[in-house]
Amino acid sequence: MTQKVAVLGTGKIGEALLSGMIRGGWDPADLLVTARRPERAAELHARYGVEAVSNADAAKAADTLILTVKPQDMTALLDELGPHVPAERLVISGAAGVPTTFFEERLAPGTPVVRVMTNTPALVDEAMSVISAGSHATEEHLAHTEEIFGGVGKTLRVPESQQDAATALSGSGPAYFYFLVEAMTDAGILLGLPRDKAHDLIVQAAIGAAVMLRDSGEHPVKLREAVTSPAGTTISAIRELERHGVRAALIAALEAARDRSQELASGHA
């Protein structure tokens, strides 16, 4: 790991990525960060021993630039970076809905761009980072991106045409589970449990179910059926979920998230 990597706009996700890289063996001396506020830059330097620099200096010094600013701030950042980014510099974007062509049109011809949609479990090294290549990115660039994001969880390559679907399913995915846990906690209170006990019961059920899904190799239908005995409590609950259209609501929700991602992309075409 001798390349210099710069994380630009180091917010929560950027910091999670930075800390994951260091835990994975990256030398802080090979990492640069930028931040909008000087006090934030000083905090990152003190916490991780990395050098805080300006965006322009990061573009000049680093071999890989990871852009973690919000989508609405990307145009201003690229205007600032453009004169300082040579064509061989790898640019990794973590901005939702912003296509690789948006970067390629604003940077030197031939600049390799990789698009990544990660999610907030990066904060606990359980992210899913979905990776897509721009028109100039090679296998080497993709492998390097996987090396970086593998420090905070799993990675998956998809064609860029599938990024909007991946954003709906995975990028926004943790929020759906939090929403479900919130609703189940309220149900537990309605059924007579204290909030803290309802919360603990549901969280452990969620963790156990997730591990079984990951490790058993079984289809979720088979795992659900293993809990669903004839004329039992679970099938009564499942009947109500189906009666209230929960499955259809989830499908509609993910379609709405995908559509919004496409709208964001059209705004950066």
Side-chain angles (χ1 to χ4, degrees):
M1 300 181 184
T2 56
Q3 287 200 340
K4 273 197 177 295
V5 175
V7 181
L8 282 71
T10 313
K12 286 187 177 180
I13 291 293
E15 183 177 359
L17 182 59
L18 178 71
S19 63
M21 292 175 69
I22 292 172
R23 288 192 300 276
W26 288 79
D27 187 339
D30 293 326
L31 302 174
L32 303 172
V33 296
T34 77
R36 179 174 296 178
R37 296 178 292 108
E39 58 270 27
R40 172 62 172 165
E43 176 187 347
L44 292 167
H45 171 70
R47 185 173 297 165
Y48 301 105
V50 295
E51 184 179 0
V53 298
S54 68
N55 289 327
D57 286 342
K60 296 172 187 175
D63 302 290
T64 300
L65 304 176
I66 305 175
L67 313 185
T68 63
V69 302
K70 297 182 185 302
Q72 59 267 31
D73 297 329
M74 197 60 77
T75 297
L77 177 61
L78 290 177
D79 288 344
E80 183 179 357
L81 294 179
H84 309 291
V85 180
E88 69 273 9
R89 189 78 78 246
L90 172 60
V91 175
I92 300 173
S93 166
V98 185
T100 54
T101 52
F102 180 81
F103 300 89
E104 292 169 348
E105 291 167 358
R106 288 161 175 79
L107 297 172
T111 299
V113 179
V114 174
R115 179 176 170 182
V116 180
M117 172 49 61
T118 192
N119 56 18
T120 55
L123 296 166
V124 292
D125 293 346
E126 291 291 349
M128 173 55 80
S129 300
V130 183
I131 297 172
S132 301
S135 58
H136 306 298
T138 65
E139 169 63 30
E140 182 180 357
H141 296 128
L142 290 172
H144 184 51
T145 303
E146 289 172 331
E147 178 186 24
I148 292 171
F149 282 84
V152 292
K154 294 183 177 295
T155 63
L156 178 69
R157 296 187 193 183
V158 302
E160 189 169 11
S161 61
Q162 296 176 3
Q163 274 282 355
D164 293 320
T167 297
L169 203 64
S170 179
S172 301
Y176 313 146
F177 289 97
Y178 302 145
F179 184 86
L180 181 61
V181 168
E182 179 186 1
M184 291 177 69
T185 301
D186 288 343
I189 295 168
L190 179 66
L191 296 175
L193 289 168
R195 178 175 292 277
D196 59 340
K197 288 185 170 58
H199 176 83
D200 289 348
L201 288 168
I202 294 161
V203 169
Q204 187 56 39
I207 293 170
V211 171
M212 289 186 71
L213 280 167
R214 184 190 65 192
D215 296 347
S216 70
E218 295 284 0
H219 193 281
V221 170
K222 292 194 68 174
L223 293 173
R224 178 184 59 77
E225 287 176 344
V227 188
T228 312
S229 55
T233 59
T234 306
I235 191 61
S236 295
I238 295 295
R239 180 186 63 185
E240 289 301 309
L241 291 172
E242 294 290 9
R243 188 169 73 85
H244 287 277
V246 171
R247 187 187 304 266
L250 282 171
I251 293 171
L254 268 69
E255 287 179 331
R258 178 210 56 197
D259 294 346
R260 179 55 181 154
S261 183
Q262 290 174 342
E263 290 174 4
L264 290 171
S266 66
H268 289 87

PDB file of all heavy atoms in Angstrom, residues 138-169:
ATOM      1  N   THR A 138     -10.123   0.681 -15.391  1.00  0.00           N
ATOM      2  CA  THR A 138      -9.649  -0.659 -15.745  1.00  0.00           C
ATOM      3  C   THR A 138      -9.882  -1.626 -14.582  1.00  0.00           C
ATOM      4  O   THR A 138     -10.304  -1.242 -13.495  1.00  0.00           O
ATOM      5  CB  THR A 138      -8.153  -0.625 -16.072  1.00  0.00           C
ATOM      6  OG1 THR A 138      -7.428  -0.269 -14.866  1.00  0.00           O
ATOM      7  CG2 THR A 138      -7.841   0.409 -17.155  1.00  0.00           C
ATOM      8  N   GLU A 139      -9.539  -2.888 -14.827  1.00  0.00           N
ATOM      9  CA  GLU A 139      -9.603  -3.901 -13.770  1.00  0.00           C
ATOM     10  C   GLU A 139      -8.727  -3.503 -12.581  1.00  0.00           C
ATOM     11  O   GLU A 139      -9.113  -3.699 -11.422  1.00  0.00           O
ATOM     12  CB  GLU A 139      -9.141  -5.251 -14.326  1.00  0.00           C
ATOM     13  CG  GLU A 139      -8.912  -6.327 -13.290  1.00  0.00           C
ATOM     14  CD  GLU A 139     -10.171  -6.702 -12.530  1.00  0.00           C
ATOM     15  OE1 GLU A 139     -11.275  -6.596 -13.098  1.00  0.00           O
ATOM     16  OE2 GLU A 139     -10.048  -7.086 -11.344  1.00  0.00           O
ATOM     17  N   GLU A 140      -7.586  -2.925 -12.852  1.00  0.00           N
ATOM     18  CA  GLU A 140      -6.699  -2.482 -11.777  1.00  0.00           C
ATOM     19  C   GLU A 140      -7.360  -1.407 -10.918  1.00  0.00           C
ATOM     20  O   GLU A 140      -7.253  -1.428  -9.689  1.00  0.00           O
ATOM     21  CB  GLU A 140      -5.395  -1.949 -12.375  1.00  0.00           C
ATOM     22  CG  GLU A 140      -4.380  -1.499 -11.331  1.00  0.00           C
ATOM     23  CD  GLU A 140      -3.091  -0.981 -11.947  1.00  0.00           C
ATOM     24  OE1 GLU A 140      -2.969  -1.022 -13.193  1.00  0.00           O
ATOM     25  OE2 GLU A 140      -2.213  -0.530 -11.182  1.00  0.00           O
ATOM     26  N   HIS A 141      -8.058  -0.481 -11.561  1.00  0.00           N
ATOM     27  CA  HIS A 141      -8.747   0.563 -10.816  1.00  0.00           C
ATOM     28  C   HIS A 141      -9.867  -0.017  -9.949  1.00  0.00           C
ATOM     29  O   HIS A 141     -10.060   0.395  -8.801  1.00  0.00           O
ATOM     30  CB  HIS A 141      -9.337   1.604 -11.775  1.00  0.00           C
ATOM     31  CG  HIS A 141      -8.303   2.348 -12.559  1.00  0.00           C
ATOM     32  ND1 HIS A 141      -8.340   2.469 -13.925  1.00  0.00           N
ATOM     33  CD2 HIS A 141      -7.182   3.014 -12.156  1.00  0.00           C
ATOM     34  CE1 HIS A 141      -7.312   3.180 -14.338  1.00  0.00           C
ATOM     35  NE2 HIS A 141      -6.588   3.530 -13.278  1.00  0.00           N
ATOM     36  N   LEU A 142     -10.602  -0.981 -10.489  1.00  0.00           N
ATOM     37  CA  LEU A 142     -11.678  -1.602  -9.727  1.00  0.00           C
ATOM     38  C   LEU A 142     -11.124  -2.388  -8.539  1.00  0.00           C
ATOM     39  O   LEU A 142     -11.674  -2.336  -7.433  1.00  0.00           O
ATOM     40  CB  LEU A 142     -12.497  -2.522 -10.637  1.00  0.00           C
ATOM     41  CG  LEU A 142     -13.360  -1.819 -11.682  1.00  0.00           C
ATOM     42  CD1 LEU A 142     -13.954  -2.837 -12.647  1.00  0.00           C
ATOM     43  CD2 LEU A 142     -14.468  -1.016 -11.030  1.00  0.00           C
ATOM     44  N   ALA A 143     -10.039  -3.116  -8.765  1.00  0.00           N
ATOM     45  CA  ALA A 143      -9.433  -3.887  -7.672  1.00  0.00           C
ATOM     46  C   ALA A 143      -8.924  -2.966  -6.571  1.00  0.00           C
ATOM     47  O   ALA A 143      -9.030  -3.273  -5.378  1.00  0.00           O
ATOM     48  CB  ALA A 143      -8.295  -4.756  -8.224  1.00  0.00           C
ATOM     49  N   HIS A 144      -8.356  -1.827  -6.967  1.00  0.00           N
ATOM     50  CA  HIS A 144      -7.868  -0.867  -5.981  1.00  0.00           C
ATOM     51  C   HIS A 144      -9.033  -0.292  -5.173  1.00  0.00           C
ATOM     52  O   HIS A 144      -8.929  -0.116  -3.945  1.00  0.00           O
ATOM     53  CB  HIS A 144      -7.115   0.251  -6.700  1.00  0.00           C
ATOM     54  CG  HIS A 144      -6.470   1.255  -5.792  1.00  0.00           C
ATOM     55  ND1 HIS A 144      -5.657   0.898  -4.741  1.00  0.00           N
ATOM     56  CD2 HIS A 144      -6.533   2.620  -5.774  1.00  0.00           C
ATOM     57  CE1 HIS A 144      -5.234   1.992  -4.118  1.00  0.00           C
ATOM     58  NE2 HIS A 144      -5.761   3.046  -4.724  1.00  0.00           N
ATOM     59  N   THR A 145     -10.139  -0.024  -5.846  1.00  0.00           N
ATOM     60  CA  THR A 145     -11.328   0.479  -5.152  1.00  0.00           C
ATOM     61  C   THR A 145     -11.851  -0.562  -4.168  1.00  0.00           C
ATOM     62  O   THR A 145     -12.228  -0.228  -3.032  1.00  0.00           O
ATOM     63  CB  THR A 145     -12.420   0.841  -6.174  1.00  0.00           C
ATOM     64  OG1 THR A 145     -11.891   1.808  -7.101  1.00  0.00           O
ATOM     65  CG2 THR A 145     -13.637   1.427  -5.487  1.00  0.00           C
ATOM     66  N   GLU A 146     -11.868  -1.821  -4.577  1.00  0.00           N
ATOM     67  CA  GLU A 146     -12.298  -2.901  -3.683  1.00  0.00           C
ATOM     68  C   GLU A 146     -11.374  -3.016  -2.478  1.00  0.00           C
ATOM     69  O   GLU A 146     -11.826  -3.281  -1.358  1.00  0.00           O
ATOM     70  CB  GLU A 146     -12.347  -4.224  -4.440  1.00  0.00           C
ATOM     71  CG  GLU A 146     -13.487  -4.307  -5.437  1.00  0.00           C
ATOM     72  CD  GLU A 146     -13.419  -5.532  -6.309  1.00  0.00           C
ATOM     73  OE1 GLU A 146     -12.294  -6.040  -6.567  1.00  0.00           O
ATOM     74  OE2 GLU A 146     -14.477  -6.006  -6.764  1.00  0.00           O
ATOM     75  N   GLU A 147     -10.086  -2.807  -2.694  1.00  0.00           N
ATOM     76  CA  GLU A 147      -9.128  -2.859  -1.596  1.00  0.00           C
ATOM     77  C   GLU A 147      -9.443  -1.774  -0.559  1.00  0.00           C
ATOM     78  O   GLU A 147      -9.383  -2.024   0.654  1.00  0.00           O
ATOM     79  CB  GLU A 147      -7.713  -2.670  -2.140  1.00  0.00           C
ATOM     80  CG  GLU A 147      -6.632  -2.666  -1.075  1.00  0.00           C
ATOM     81  CD  GLU A 147      -5.257  -2.325  -1.653  1.00  0.00           C
ATOM     82  OE1 GLU A 147      -5.201  -1.662  -2.714  1.00  0.00           O
ATOM     83  OE2 GLU A 147      -4.263  -2.723  -1.048  1.00  0.00           O
ATOM     84  N   ILE A 148      -9.800  -0.605  -1.032  1.00  0.00           N
ATOM     85  CA  ILE A 148     -10.103   0.505  -0.126  1.00  0.00           C
ATOM     86  C   ILE A 148     -11.400   0.256   0.627  1.00  0.00           C
ATOM     87  O   ILE A 148     -11.450   0.299   1.856  1.00  0.00           O
ATOM     88  CB  ILE A 148     -10.177   1.825  -0.910  1.00  0.00           C
ATOM     89  CG1 ILE A 148      -8.788   2.214  -1.446  1.00  0.00           C
ATOM     90  CG2 ILE A 148     -10.747   2.950  -0.041  1.00  0.00           C
ATOM     91  CD1 ILE A 148      -8.808   3.381  -2.419  1.00  0.00           C
ATOM     92  N   PHE A 149     -12.480  -0.032  -0.092  1.00  0.00           N
ATOM     93  CA  PHE A 149     -13.783  -0.152   0.538  1.00  0.00           C
ATOM     94  C   PHE A 149     -13.973  -1.491   1.247  1.00  0.00           C
ATOM     95  O   PHE A 149     -14.872  -1.613   2.095  1.00  0.00           O
ATOM     96  CB  PHE A 149     -14.889   0.078  -0.494  1.00  0.00           C
ATOM     97  CG  PHE A 149     -15.094   1.527  -0.821  1.00  0.00           C
ATOM     98  CD1 PHE A 149     -14.304   2.167  -1.767  1.00  0.00           C
ATOM     99  CD2 PHE A 149     -16.054   2.275  -0.158  1.00  0.00           C
ATOM    100  CE1 PHE A 149     -14.470   3.510  -2.058  1.00  0.00           C
ATOM    101  CE2 PHE A 149     -16.231   3.619  -0.438  1.00  0.00           C
ATOM    102  CZ  PHE A 149     -15.438   4.243  -1.387  1.00  0.00           C
ATOM    103  N   GLY A 150     -13.127  -2.465   0.923  1.00  0.00           N
ATOM    104  CA  GLY A 150     -13.180  -3.724   1.650  1.00  0.00           C
ATOM    105  C   GLY A 150     -12.821  -3.570   3.113  1.00  0.00           C
ATOM    106  O   GLY A 150     -13.127  -4.447   3.931  1.00  0.00           O
ATOM    107  N   GLY A 151     -12.201  -2.461   3.475  1.00  0.00           N
ATOM    108  CA  GLY A 151     -11.841  -2.212   4.866  1.00  0.00           C
ATOM    109  C   GLY A 151     -13.029  -1.897   5.752  1.00  0.00           C
ATOM    110  O   GLY A 151     -12.916  -1.952   6.977  1.00  0.00           O
ATOM    111  N   VAL A 152     -14.181  -1.588   5.152  1.00  0.00           N
ATOM    112  CA  VAL A 152     -15.356  -1.248   5.958  1.00  0.00           C
ATOM    113  C   VAL A 152     -16.543  -2.161   5.647  1.00  0.00           C
ATOM    114  O   VAL A 152     -17.688  -1.839   5.977  1.00  0.00           O
ATOM    115  CB  VAL A 152     -15.763   0.227   5.770  1.00  0.00           C
ATOM    116  CG1 VAL A 152     -14.714   1.156   6.352  1.00  0.00           C
ATOM    117  CG2 VAL A 152     -16.022   0.553   4.296  1.00  0.00           C
ATOM    118  N   GLY A 153     -16.290  -3.313   5.051  1.00  0.00           N
ATOM    119  CA  GLY A 153     -17.380  -4.245   4.778  1.00  0.00           C
ATOM    120  C   GLY A 153     -17.170  -5.005   3.492  1.00  0.00           C
ATOM    121  O   GLY A 153     -16.043  -5.249   3.067  1.00  0.00           O
ATOM    122  N   LYS A 154     -18.264  -5.372   2.864  1.00  0.00           N
ATOM    123  CA  LYS A 154     -18.228  -6.143   1.618  1.00  0.00           C
ATOM    124  C   LYS A 154     -18.336  -5.214   0.417  1.00  0.00           C
ATOM    125  O   LYS A 154     -18.823  -4.079   0.532  1.00  0.00           O
ATOM    126  CB  LYS A 154     -19.367  -7.170   1.597  1.00  0.00           C
ATOM    127  CG  LYS A 154     -19.246  -8.264   2.651  1.00  0.00           C
ATOM    128  CD  LYS A 154     -20.366  -9.276   2.501  1.00  0.00           C
ATOM    129  CE  LYS A 154     -20.208 -10.407   3.520  1.00  0.00           C
ATOM    130  NZ  LYS A 154     -18.988 -11.198   3.276  1.00  0.00           N
ATOM    131  N   THR A 155     -17.903  -5.725  -0.740  1.00  0.00           N
ATOM    132  CA  THR A 155     -18.024  -4.980  -1.987  1.00  0.00           C
ATOM    133  C   THR A 155     -18.700  -5.853  -3.038  1.00  0.00           C
ATOM    134  O   THR A 155     -18.638  -7.079  -2.979  1.00  0.00           O
ATOM    135  CB  THR A 155     -16.653  -4.521  -2.520  1.00  0.00           C
ATOM    136  OG1 THR A 155     -15.850  -5.669  -2.832  1.00  0.00           O
ATOM    137  CG2 THR A 155     -15.925  -3.654  -1.498  1.00  0.00           C
ATOM    138  N   LEU A 156     -19.338  -5.188  -3.987  1.00  0.00           N
ATOM    139  CA  LEU A 156     -20.023  -5.893  -5.071  1.00  0.00           C
ATOM    140  C   LEU A 156     -19.928  -5.043  -6.325  1.00  0.00           C
ATOM    141  O   LEU A 156     -20.242  -3.849  -6.299  1.00  0.00           O
ATOM    142  CB  LEU A 156     -21.496  -6.120  -4.707  1.00  0.00           C
ATOM    143  CG  LEU A 156     -22.374  -6.801  -5.758  1.00  0.00           C
ATOM    144  CD1 LEU A 156     -21.967  -8.270  -5.913  1.00  0.00           C
ATOM    145  CD2 LEU A 156     -23.849  -6.687  -5.393  1.00  0.00           C
ATOM    146  N   ARG A 157     -19.493  -5.647  -7.423  1.00  0.00           N
ATOM    147  CA  ARG A 157     -19.437  -4.933  -8.692  1.00  0.00           C
ATOM    148  C   ARG A 157     -20.747  -5.098  -9.444  1.00  0.00           C
ATOM    149  O   ARG A 157     -21.312  -6.187  -9.526  1.00  0.00           O
ATOM    150  CB  ARG A 157     -18.308  -5.461  -9.568  1.00  0.00           C
ATOM    151  CG  ARG A 157     -16.919  -5.266  -9.029  1.00  0.00           C
ATOM    152  CD  ARG A 157     -15.892  -5.681 -10.080  1.00  0.00           C
ATOM    153  NE  ARG A 157     -14.558  -5.809  -9.516  1.00  0.00           N
ATOM    154  CZ  ARG A 157     -13.468  -6.098 -10.226  1.00  0.00           C
ATOM    155  NH1 ARG A 157     -13.576  -6.299 -11.536  1.00  0.00           N
ATOM    156  NH2 ARG A 157     -12.291  -6.203  -9.645  1.00  0.00           N
ATOM    157  N   VAL A 158     -21.254  -3.994 -10.003  1.00  0.00           N
ATOM    158  CA  VAL A 158     -22.431  -4.038 -10.862  1.00  0.00           C
ATOM    159  C   VAL A 158     -22.204  -3.084 -12.029  1.00  0.00           C
ATOM    160  O   VAL A 158     -21.428  -2.133 -11.926  1.00  0.00           O
ATOM    161  CB  VAL A 158     -23.723  -3.637 -10.104  1.00  0.00           C
ATOM    162  CG1 VAL A 158     -23.964  -4.530  -8.893  1.00  0.00           C
ATOM    163  CG2 VAL A 158     -23.701  -2.170  -9.699  1.00  0.00           C
ATOM    164  N   PRO A 159     -22.892  -3.301 -13.161  1.00  0.00           N
ATOM    165  CA  PRO A 159     -22.864  -2.295 -14.224  1.00  0.00           C
ATOM    166  C   PRO A 159     -23.471  -0.992 -13.700  1.00  0.00           C
ATOM    167  O   PRO A 159     -24.375  -1.015 -12.851  1.00  0.00           O
ATOM    168  CB  PRO A 159     -23.745  -2.915 -15.317  1.00  0.00           C
ATOM    169  CG  PRO A 159     -23.852  -4.356 -14.984  1.00  0.00           C
ATOM    170  CD  PRO A 159     -23.717  -4.469 -13.506  1.00  0.00           C
ATOM    171  N   GLU A 160     -23.000   0.124 -14.222  1.00  0.00           N
ATOM    172  CA  GLU A 160     -23.507   1.396 -13.702  1.00  0.00           C
ATOM    173  C   GLU A 160     -25.002   1.544 -13.916  1.00  0.00           C
ATOM    174  O   GLU A 160     -25.680   2.226 -13.146  1.00  0.00           O
ATOM    175  CB  GLU A 160     -22.758   2.579 -14.335  1.00  0.00           C
ATOM    176  CG  GLU A 160     -23.112   3.897 -13.665  1.00  0.00           C
ATOM    177  CD  GLU A 160     -22.219   5.046 -14.076  1.00  0.00           C
ATOM    178  OE1 GLU A 160     -21.437   4.885 -15.043  1.00  0.00           O
ATOM    179  OE2 GLU A 160     -22.301   6.098 -13.430  1.00  0.00           O
ATOM    180  N   SER A 161     -25.554   0.866 -14.918  1.00  0.00           N
ATOM    181  CA  SER A 161     -26.991   0.930 -15.160  1.00  0.00           C
ATOM    182  C   SER A 161     -27.802   0.363 -14.000  1.00  0.00           C
ATOM    183  O   SER A 161     -29.004   0.632 -13.879  1.00  0.00           O
ATOM    184  CB  SER A 161     -27.349   0.167 -16.443  1.00  0.00           C
ATOM    185  OG  SER A 161     -26.984  -1.209 -16.323  1.00  0.00           O
ATOM    186  N   GLN A 162     -27.152  -0.422 -13.116  1.00  0.00           N
ATOM    187  CA  GLN A 162     -27.837  -1.003 -11.965  1.00  0.00           C
ATOM    188  C   GLN A 162     -27.607  -0.220 -10.675  1.00  0.00           C
ATOM    189  O   GLN A 162     -28.105  -0.608  -9.613  1.00  0.00           O
ATOM    190  CB  GLN A 162     -27.381  -2.459 -11.772  1.00  0.00           C
ATOM    191  CG  GLN A 162     -27.766  -3.372 -12.921  1.00  0.00           C
ATOM    192  CD  GLN A 162     -27.229  -4.787 -12.761  1.00  0.00           C
ATOM    193  OE1 GLN A 162     -26.607  -5.118 -11.749  1.00  0.00           O
ATOM    194  NE2 GLN A 162     -27.438  -5.613 -13.760  1.00  0.00           N
ATOM    195  N   GLN A 163     -26.890   0.889 -10.753  1.00  0.00           N
ATOM    196  CA  GLN A 163     -26.580   1.645  -9.547  1.00  0.00           C
ATOM    197  C   GLN A 163     -27.822   2.238  -8.884  1.00  0.00           C
ATOM    198  O   GLN A 163     -27.916   2.281  -7.649  1.00  0.00           O
ATOM    199  CB  GLN A 163     -25.569   2.752  -9.851  1.00  0.00           C
ATOM    200  CG  GLN A 163     -24.114   2.322  -9.786  1.00  0.00           C
ATOM    201  CD  GLN A 163     -23.593   2.214  -8.359  1.00  0.00           C
ATOM    202  OE1 GLN A 163     -24.276   2.539  -7.396  1.00  0.00           O
ATOM    203  NE2 GLN A 163     -22.361   1.766  -8.219  1.00  0.00           N
ATOM    204  N   ASP A 164     -28.792   2.680  -9.662  1.00  0.00           N
ATOM    205  CA  ASP A 164     -29.984   3.261  -9.055  1.00  0.00           C
ATOM    206  C   ASP A 164     -30.749   2.205  -8.261  1.00  0.00           C
ATOM    207  O   ASP A 164     -31.256   2.480  -7.162  1.00  0.00           O
ATOM    208  CB  ASP A 164     -30.884   3.877 -10.132  1.00  0.00           C
ATOM    209  CG  ASP A 164     -30.249   5.092 -10.788  1.00  0.00           C
ATOM    210  OD1 ASP A 164     -29.619   5.891 -10.067  1.00  0.00           O
ATOM    211  OD2 ASP A 164     -30.376   5.243 -12.013  1.00  0.00           O
ATOM    212  N   ALA A 165     -30.825   0.991  -8.801  1.00  0.00           N
ATOM    213  CA  ALA A 165     -31.486  -0.096  -8.077  1.00  0.00           C
ATOM    214  C   ALA A 165     -30.701  -0.454  -6.820  1.00  0.00           C
ATOM    215  O   ALA A 165     -31.283  -0.697  -5.754  1.00  0.00           O
ATOM    216  CB  ALA A 165     -31.629  -1.320  -8.984  1.00  0.00           C
ATOM    217  N   ALA A 166     -29.368  -0.480  -6.931  1.00  0.00           N
ATOM    218  CA  ALA A 166     -28.533  -0.798  -5.769  1.00  0.00           C
ATOM    219  C   ALA A 166     -28.663   0.274  -4.692  1.00  0.00           C
ATOM    220  O   ALA A 166     -28.671  -0.023  -3.492  1.00  0.00           O
ATOM    221  CB  ALA A 166     -27.076  -0.951  -6.204  1.00  0.00           C
ATOM    222  N   THR A 167     -28.776   1.529  -5.108  1.00  0.00           N
ATOM    223  CA  THR A 167     -28.974   2.618  -4.150  1.00  0.00           C
ATOM    224  C   THR A 167     -30.280   2.427  -3.387  1.00  0.00           C
ATOM    225  O   THR A 167     -30.330   2.574  -2.160  1.00  0.00           O
ATOM    226  CB  THR A 167     -28.979   3.969  -4.881  1.00  0.00           C
ATOM    227  OG1 THR A 167     -27.697   4.185  -5.485  1.00  0.00           O
ATOM    228  CG2 THR A 167     -29.275   5.106  -3.925  1.00  0.00           C
ATOM    229  N   ALA A 168     -31.348   2.085  -4.115  1.00  0.00           N
ATOM    230  CA  ALA A 168     -32.649   1.876  -3.478  1.00  0.00           C
ATOM    231  C   ALA A 168     -32.619   0.710  -2.514  1.00  0.00           C
ATOM    232  O   ALA A 168     -33.206   0.764  -1.427  1.00  0.00           O
ATOM    233  CB  ALA A 168     -33.716   1.646  -4.553  1.00  0.00           C
ATOM    234  N   LEU A 169     -31.927  -0.355  -2.889  1.00  0.00           N
ATOM    235  CA  LEU A 169     -31.952  -1.586  -2.104  1.00  0.00           C
ATOM    236  C   LEU A 169     -30.948  -1.559  -0.960  1.00  0.00           C
ATOM    237  O   LEU A 169     -31.264  -1.935   0.173  1.00  0.00           O
ATOM    238  CB  LEU A 169     -31.643  -2.770  -3.024  1.00  0.00           C
ATOM    239  CG  LEU A 169     -32.128  -4.142  -2.581  1.00  0.00           C
ATOM    240  CD1 LEU A 169     -33.641  -4.183  -2.513  1.00  0.00           C
ATOM    241  CD2 LEU A 169     -31.619  -5.220  -3.531  1.00  0.00           C
TER     242      LEU A 169
END
